[in-house]
Amino acid sequence: MNLIEANHIEKSFGELQVLRDISMHVAEGEVVAIIGPSGSGKSTFLRCLTQLETADRGEITICGKQMMHTEDNHAVFADPKTLHEITLCAGLVFQNFNLFPHRSVLQNVTDAPIRVLGVSKSEAQQTARTLLEKMNLSDRADYYPCQLSGGQQQRVAIARALALNPRVLFFDEPTSALDPELTGEILRVIRQLADEHMTMVVVTHEMAFARDVADRVIFMDGGVIVEQGRPEEIFGDAQNERTRAFLSSFAQN
Amino acid sequence: MEFIENITGMDATAFTAMIPNMLVGCWQVIQIFLLTVLFAVPLGFLVALGRTSRFKILSGIIRIYQLIVRGTPLMLQLMFCMYAPSFLFGLTPHRFAACIIAFVINYAAYFGEIFRSGIQSIPQGQYEAGKVLGYTKTQVFFHIILPQVVKRVIPPTGSEFMVLVKDTALAQIIAQPQLFDIAIKTAAKNVSITPYIAAGVFYLIMSAVVEFAFKKLESKLDYYR
């Protein structure tokens, strides 16, 4: 079953067309890595799927619920209740973590379940402690985000997203704001989630990670999906000239 | 006694009588201060919300209000509130009420500006994080944004509170009794500048209390950045 179905997505910022007819499907349990140069539309695409941007045209269905479709060349969005259900079904981890600085680590993870899902405080805390343990952060529950390293903050952000028990998790360049020595710990967590068959879409510049963890790699450039396939196809035998040029620029570094 | 007379240029009984008078003046200052804060802070919050509103007409009106209030002397605004009603409607307003209204209108504009900059200084990512976690817009504002705004606006608000303590002296222009009035009258009666110095000390003490309270508040919220 496809948890994400996006068809013919178009998005412009004023005159600038950022997404041109993007179609992508993600099956349950699949891990998809989206790679591509800056400005290729990867993040905008992710933001359209997570309702942080509104696509101009196209059709998006997430967790079996239609988020938007197009009528007479205009986007039509689902009712607020459906959109809220879709929000809860899909989590997002940001490049800059966006933790709540005035709340402790534990509160960051428990607040949404309590306030949004109406879970009891003790139950939310129990879930949160399990998640923090999984993120190897048990001893940091009472810390504040400013007292943590970037890698720890990002792991809290992942725990916070998981606390709502989403079926899909989106990552928007989760390691781009981190020092190289801290990216490993985040990638390990994502890999662990992949082993548990969490459905994930990861926008990333970590090619080695995309190759090792993803079931499928999508290469985007200029607002279109240039090429996609299994990692060994993309990294070993890319068909498209632009894909090869992009990957070779990484190989040189 | 002679010592007091020598250094103050006032006779000792006049000097000792001045102190309780000045304490009454201080209490009047405190009343103006507290009532202004009580009304101007919530009003300033609404001003900030209106100013950041998507409705262009509302934010435009509020901007003009802020421009007028911040662009004209508070002293003039006090006179306007005191005397305009009798010119326009033939009503003589209650002096103290006119005084409070002028201060509230004036300070709400400044607080509005402080709170607006506080709200706008919160990164967009905080709103986005709230949204993807399923919070409603109201929840995002009150549980995520507002607590962070409070922390950020405490230093400039404290500074504004200190200015208010001293600005109460401007109520002199509409003959509202307060500390400065007592200083002027006592100085004139005794032909001495000592009452001014004494009044200055009282203003300083009241400002220092405000400063101390805000420092305390600031360190209370120091647990996060």
Side-chain angles (χ1 to χ4, degrees):
Chain A
M1 181 200 159
N2 284 336
L3 280 186
I4 302 166
E5 288 186 29
N7 292 310
H8 310 298
I9 304 301
E10 292 177 30
K11 170 74 184 171
S12 299
F13 292 113
E15 292 292 293
L16 180 72
Q17 198 174 3
V18 186
L19 300 178
R20 308 159 187 263
D21 196 15
I22 298 261
S23 296
M24 181 191 80
H25 299 218
V26 179
E28 188 157 18
E30 201 179 9
V31 178
V32 175
I34 303 180
I35 60 171
S38 298
S40 58
K42 317 177 293 288
S43 287
T44 305
F45 180 50
L46 213 60
R47 290 170 62 83
C48 286
L49 295 177
T50 50
Q51 302 180 50
L52 293 176
E53 298 284 354
T54 51
D56 298 333
R57 268 172 297 281
E59 185 202 272
I60 299 173
T61 302
I62 289 178
C63 300
K65 298 183 176 74
Q66 192 175 60
M67 183 172 117
M68 68 169 290
H69 65 282
T70 302
E71 267 176 33
D72 300 332
N73 214 22
H74 283 286
V76 180
F77 282 82
D79 58 288
K81 188 171 165 285
T82 308
L83 291 179
H84 182 70
E85 285 167 7
I86 293 173
T87 300
L88 295 179
C89 184
L92 171 64
V93 175
F94 297 87
Q95 183 177 343
N96 314 311
F97 334 131
N98 291 333
L99 292 176
F100 304 135
H102 57 303
R103 301 235 189 271
S104 71
V105 165
L106 189 67
Q107 287 168 332
N108 262 280
V109 183
T110 57
D111 199 63
I114 292 169
R115 254 184 245 288
V116 177
L117 298 182
V119 170
S120 76
K121 195 174 169 188
S122 58
E123 196 186 329
Q125 284 183 346
Q126 207 176 346
T127 314
R129 290 196 190 279
T130 313
L131 284 169
L132 289 174
E133 197 184 321
K134 196 167 150 185
M135 296 296 146
N136 212 356
L137 286 168
S138 297
D139 52 340
R140 295 287 183 272
D142 297 321
Y143 283 51
Y144 283 85
C146 64
Q147 298 167 308
L148 304 180
S149 73
Q152 291 170 330
Q153 289 191 47
Q154 191 61 297
R155 281 182 280 150
V156 176
I158 295 170
R160 179 176 72 170
L162 289 171
L164 290 172
N165 203 15
R167 292 175 67 194
V168 189
L169 205 48
F170 293 101
F171 292 82
D172 188 4
E173 301 191 21
T175 60
S176 295
L178 300 174
D179 294 336
E181 68 262 34
L182 297 177
T183 59
E185 59 189 70
I186 300 304
L187 299 179
R188 262 194 303 282
V189 168
I190 299 176
R191 183 167 303 161
Q192 188 188 343
L193 291 170
D195 292 341
E196 296 165 13
H197 306 294
M198 181 81 200
T199 311
M200 290 184 284
V201 178
V202 187
V203 169
T204 185
H205 290 297
E206 298 289 331
M207 294 305 140
F209 169 75
R211 179 167 35 203
D212 294 349
V213 179
D215 300 311
R216 184 152 50 99
V217 176
I218 293 177
F219 173 65
M220 271 180 80
D221 190 18
V224 297
I225 292 178
V226 176
E227 193 167 355
Q228 60 176 307
R230 284 181 288 116
E232 55 272 25
E233 291 169 354
I234 298 294
F235 290 101
D237 182 27
Q239 299 301 305
N240 189 287
E241 184 51 43
R242 272 194 287 173
T243 317
R244 280 202 296 268
F246 176 73
L247 291 174
S248 69
S249 74
F250 270 90
Q252 278 158 16
N253 285 337
Chain B
M1 283 300 140
E2 214 173 304
F3 173 71
I4 289 175
E5 283 167 30
N6 284 342
I7 63 161
T8 64
M10 288 171 74
D11 80 62
T13 44
F15 184 81
T16 42
M18 176 184 77
I19 302 300
N21 283 343
M22 289 215 159
L23 288 174
V24 171
C26 284
W27 171 235
Q28 287 161 336
V29 166
I30 291 166
Q31 284 176 313
I32 298 172
F33 176 87
L34 289 178
L35 282 169
T36 303
V37 166
L38 181 69
F39 291 110
V41 169
L43 203 59
F45 181 67
L46 294 179
V47 166
L49 288 185
R51 183 72 197 276
T52 52
S53 158
R54 278 168 297 145
F55 302 107
K56 288 276 178 290
I57 300 172
L58 179 64
S59 66
I61 289 170
I62 289 184
R63 196 177 150 197
I64 291 166
Y65 148 71
Q66 287 181 304
L67 183 65
I68 292 171
V69 168
R70 298 197 303 155
T72 58
L74 174 53
M75 199 181 258
L76 192 149
Q77 292 160 20
L78 279 157
M79 292 185 74
F80 184 85
C81 288
M82 184 65 212
Y83 302 116
S86 59
F87 276 109
L88 297 173
F89 315 111
L91 302 164
T92 312
H94 186 265
R95 191 179 307 281
F96 185 67
C99 171
I100 296 300
I101 288 168
F103 273 107
V104 168
I105 290 173
N106 183 278
Y107 272 80
Y110 285 96
F111 287 142
E113 208 49 16
I114 290 173
F115 300 161
R116 176 183 72 89
S117 65
I119 292 171
Q120 290 179 341
S121 73
I122 305 300
Q124 202 55 34
Q126 292 290 308
Y127 291 90
E128 292 183 349
K131 187 175 155 76
V132 298
L133 289 168
Y135 290 85
T136 64
K137 282 194 168 146
T138 322
Q139 285 175 326
V140 169
F141 186 76
F142 284 100
H143 296 295
I144 298 170
I145 306 301
L146 198 57
Q148 299 181 55
V149 170
V150 168
K151 180 183 164 74
R152 291 186 189 203
V153 301
I154 277 175
T157 304
S159 171
E160 205 62 23
F161 274 36
M162 282 177 79
V163 175
L164 174 58
V165 170
K166 298 168 293 161
D167 270 359
T168 57
L170 293 172
Q172 186 66 17
I173 201 70
I174 57 167
Q176 167 63 39
Q178 31 70 43
L179 181 58
F180 197 59
D181 187 50
I182 288 163
I184 290 174
K185 285 177 177 154
T186 320
K189 204 162 110 191
N190 295 284
V191 203
S192 163
I193 64 154
T194 304
Y196 290 125
I197 295 168
V201 171
F202 281 114
Y203 281 116
L204 186 60
I205 291 169
M206 289 188 285
S207 301
V209 169
V210 171
E211 200 264 358
F212 185 78
F214 271 85
K215 273 282 163 302
K216 196 109 185 153
L217 212 56
E218 238 184 286
S219 59
K220 239 188 139 130
L221 291 175
D222 233 13
Y223 65 88
Y224 74 91
R225 272 196 306 272

